[in-house]
Amino acid sequence: FFQAEDGIRDDLVTGVQTCALPIFQPDMHGRNLQQQEFLKASLEGFDLSDTDLRGAVFNTANLQNANLRGADLEDAVAFASRFDGADLSGAVLRNAMLMNSKFTAAVIEGADFTDAVLDLPQQKALCGRASGTNPRTGVDTRDSLACR
């Protein structure tokens, strides 16, 4: 079960009920998880597609092979987190702080990284496979990563 500090809540769960949520819910598609904290969370392979994760904090979280297609991660913080093999197609990562995070083989077609902070080697690697335009913001993925 989630500990109180894990704090995952949605609009259907309140107060004490929050602690009764199972720790692993592999299908979180479309949920409102704004400003939630995922500290050392193992979310490998989870379906977080179309999820509202604005302002969420991922600290050393494992999101390998997670489905984040169309997710809104604007203003999110993901420090030392693993997005290897994750599907970030059409995701919005505007103003996200992504320091020390890894994106090896992540699918980023149509993702918007405008003003996101990435380590330079990760930014260069992402530019090597950046393509598409974000369906919500209309921003080209290569432009959002300031690819040359």
Side-chain angles (χ1 to χ4, degrees), residues 12 31 35 56 72-73 107 110 119 125 148:
L12 302 176
R31 286 202 178 190
Q35 299 181 343
D72 191 344
L73 291 123
V107 178
D119 295 330
R148 297 176 189 209

Side-chain angles (χ1 to χ4, degrees), residues 68-118:
L68 290 153
R69 179 182 288 266
D72 191 344
L73 291 123
E74 187 165 355
D75 297 319
V77 175
F79 178 77
S81 293
R82 302 299 302 250
F83 291 89
D84 304 318
D87 184 352
L88 291 162
S89 302
V92 176
L93 297 106
R94 289 178 167 227
N95 301 312
M97 300 295 290
L98 306 169
M99 298 302 292
N100 292 331
S101 289
K102 304 293 182 208
F103 295 87
T104 305
V107 178
I108 60 165
E109 182 178 351
D112 183 351
F113 289 89
T114 301
D115 297 324
V117 178
L118 290 152

Side-chain angles (χ1 to χ4, degrees), residues 32-146:
N32 179 353
L33 301 173
Q34 288 183 52
Q35 299 181 343
Q36 298 306 310
E37 294 183 7
F38 301 89
L39 308 178
K40 297 182 182 179
S42 180
L43 303 170
E44 185 169 358
F46 274 39
D47 183 359
L48 295 162
S49 60
D50 299 316
T51 301
D52 187 346
L53 291 159
R54 288 175 291 166
V57 176
F58 299 90
N59 192 351
T60 62
N62 178 5
L63 291 134
Q64 293 176 315
N65 301 309
N67 180 359
L68 290 153
R69 179 182 288 266
D72 191 344
L73 291 123
E74 187 165 355
D75 297 319
V77 175
F79 178 77
S81 293
R82 302 299 302 250
F83 291 89
D84 304 318
D87 184 352
L88 291 162
S89 302
V92 176
L93 297 106
R94 289 178 167 227
N95 301 312
M97 300 295 290
L98 306 169
M99 298 302 292
N100 292 331
S101 289
K102 304 293 182 208
F103 295 87
T104 305
V107 178
I108 60 165
E109 182 178 351
D112 183 351
F113 289 89
T114 301
D115 297 324
V117 178
L118 290 152
D119 295 330
L120 188 56
Q122 289 299 305
Q123 185 257 348
K124 287 183 177 183
L126 290 171
C127 281
R129 61 183 187 276
S131 66
T133 301
N134 187 276
R136 268 185 292 167
T137 65
V139 175
D140 181 81
T141 300
R142 290 189 57 78
D143 291 344
S144 74
L145 285 163

Side-chain angles (χ1 to χ4, degrees), residues 17-32:
Q17 293 172 322
T18 300
C19 295
L21 284 173
I23 193 162
F24 295 112
Q25 295 181 344
D27 183 1
M28 292 196 219
H29 168 83
R31 286 202 178 190
N32 179 353

